[in-house]
Amino acid sequence: QRFTVHVRISFQVPIPRAAHAMWISRGLSLLALLAEQALAERFSVDGIKAPETQGMWMLYQYFVHDEKGGDRGPPIVSFDIQQRKASSEGSDRSQEYAGLEATVLSLQQSRDLIDVHGFCGGDRLQLKKTTSPPVSYRITGAHNFQSITLQEGSGVYVLLFTNCGSLVNLELVGEVTVRSTHGYIPFVERPKRALYGTLAVSYFTISVIWGAAALSWRHQLFYIQKRIIVVTISGLVECSCFFVLYDQWDKTADYHRVLFAVAAYASVYKVALCFRGLLVSAMADDPVNAGEPDVSVMIHVVLA
């Protein structure tokens, strides 16, 4: 005979305390901090190896906005790159070598004007027929800063590196920066500055109003009512940091990772507080005195 046995296991799991949520948020914030910021309009080439002989690399994309009457002038691209010997093998010819070149083209131009089967003409990049000269920069072993105006208007631009010479044991040092008419921030990121500024003002207003209304009732507030003020302050810190981050990014082209880390931490911590506040308020025996070590707040798990 065959028997079927059903096993029912029941146990209780306490909701993580705020301290646990805090450590979770720290871990998530660290992961967010380590994420690559791929939209910065300042691209560093430090330590990047030069392309092989007769080779080309497409390393980056810029989002450029050309608006007539902009307060920062027409879009420009600034080059500040040097070449140097990549390893100790062989003789050092990096000072006199003239085969490396950096070029910024619109995405459409890179598709229409580059012959992938033969793009070198002598020691320089050779494009198909074009009405305007490309924005190009000869890379040498000496310091040579250049700023060139972009003529193609708004759009997506790509950064190309070509090696039309015979030397391969080279690496690059320096950076390429693009500034649109409104500033250095990528145009696709520009609306976030106003968004976070508006949210910061909203969080500040809500914090002041809620704090003033709850002050006289502070000894009788429910658990979730106490958490609302903490959530609004966390949101204020988050949005204020993001606003300053985008504002400085637009003005100086510098992306401050410390501000991003603080904003990301405040954002994740705010979400953790929201979830815990809702769960504790819904399941606690006493919603007024529900504290962090409240053993009555449990999740009942049934495995069948």
Side-chain angles (χ1 to χ4, degrees):
Q1 295 181 348
R2 179 177 298 177
F3 297 93
T4 302
V5 179
H6 296 276
V7 180
R8 184 182 181 90
I9 303 175
S10 178
F11 58 94
Q12 291 181 321
V13 179
I15 297 177
R17 299 180 181 180
H20 298 164
M22 181 177 64
W23 283 107
I24 294 173
S25 66
R26 286 177 180 175
L28 294 177
S29 299
L30 179 60
L31 291 176
L33 176 62
L34 296 177
E36 183 68 22
Q37 299 300 322
L39 295 177
E41 297 296 83
R42 173 181 288 171
F43 179 68
S44 174
V45 298
D46 290 348
I48 295 179
K49 192 173 181 180
E52 300 293 331
T53 300
Q54 305 296 306
M56 173 188 293
W57 286 353
M58 181 184 295
L59 293 183
Y60 208 69
Q61 286 188 346
Y62 296 96
F63 297 87
V64 178
H65 179 58
D66 186 4
E67 181 181 10
K68 293 183 178 180
D71 55 350
R72 305 295 293 272
I76 62 172
V77 54
S78 300
F79 298 94
D80 189 7
I81 308 175
Q82 292 177 256
Q83 63 190 17
R84 66 185 182 188
K85 190 178 178 183
S87 66
S88 58
E89 300 177 358
S91 59
D92 188 0
R93 295 173 48 201
S94 61
Q95 295 300 315
E96 67 271 10
Y97 184 66
L100 282 178
E101 189 175 11
T103 306
V104 174
L105 296 172
S106 68
L107 185 60
Q108 189 61 44
Q109 282 183 322
S110 67
R111 294 169 177 171
D112 297 339
L113 302 181
I114 296 179
D115 184 0
V116 295
H117 301 291
F119 51 81
C120 285
D123 61 352
R124 303 204 63 175
L125 173 67
Q126 182 177 10
L127 301 177
K128 299 177 183 178
K129 185 178 180 180
T130 176
T131 57
S132 58
V135 176
S136 60
Y137 172 85
R138 296 295 297 268
I139 302 174
T140 64
H143 176 74
N144 180 26
F145 178 83
Q146 291 185 18
S147 292
I148 306 174
T149 302
L150 292 173
Q151 303 289 347
E152 297 299 320
S154 301
V156 180
Y157 286 76
V158 295
L159 174 61
L160 306 174
F161 287 92
T162 53
N163 185 0
C164 291
S166 58
L167 194 60
V168 295
N169 188 26
L170 294 171
E171 66 178 11
L172 306 175
V173 180
E175 61 187 21
V176 182
T177 305
V178 171
R179 190 206 69 200
S180 297
T181 54
H182 61 272
Y184 289 99
I185 194 171
F187 183 67
V188 294
E189 298 287 307
R190 189 185 181 193
K192 293 182 180 180
R193 177 180 176 273
L195 171 65
Y196 283 115
T198 303
L199 290 176
V201 173
S202 301
Y203 272 120
F204 176 78
T205 304
I206 294 173
S207 299
V208 171
I209 294 175
W210 186 264
L215 184 62
S216 58
W217 298 88
R218 58 185 179 276
H219 299 299
Q220 306 177 51
L221 294 176
F222 284 8
Y223 178 84
I224 192 171
Q225 293 172 328
K226 298 175 185 178
R227 286 293 173 264
I228 288 177
I229 186 65
V230 182
V231 168
T232 56
I233 293 176
S234 299
L236 174 61
V237 172
E238 171 199 0
C239 295
S240 298
C241 288
F242 271 130
F243 173 78
V244 175
L245 169 66
Y246 284 104
D247 183 68
Q248 292 301 308
W249 189 9
D250 191 34
K251 293 178 180 178
T252 65
D254 293 327
Y255 190 93
H256 297 281
R257 292 184 178 272
V258 174
L259 284 173
F260 175 79
V262 174
Y265 175 86
S267 178
V268 178
Y269 188 65
K270 176 187 67 177
V271 174
L273 286 176
C274 289
F275 277 108
R276 177 170 173 78
L278 290 174
L279 290 174
V280 170
S281 299
M283 293 183 289
D285 292 339
D286 186 353
V288 176
N289 299 317
E292 300 299 337
D294 189 356
V295 296
S296 66
V297 182
M298 309 286 284
I299 298 178
H300 195 71
V301 179
V302 177
L303 300 179

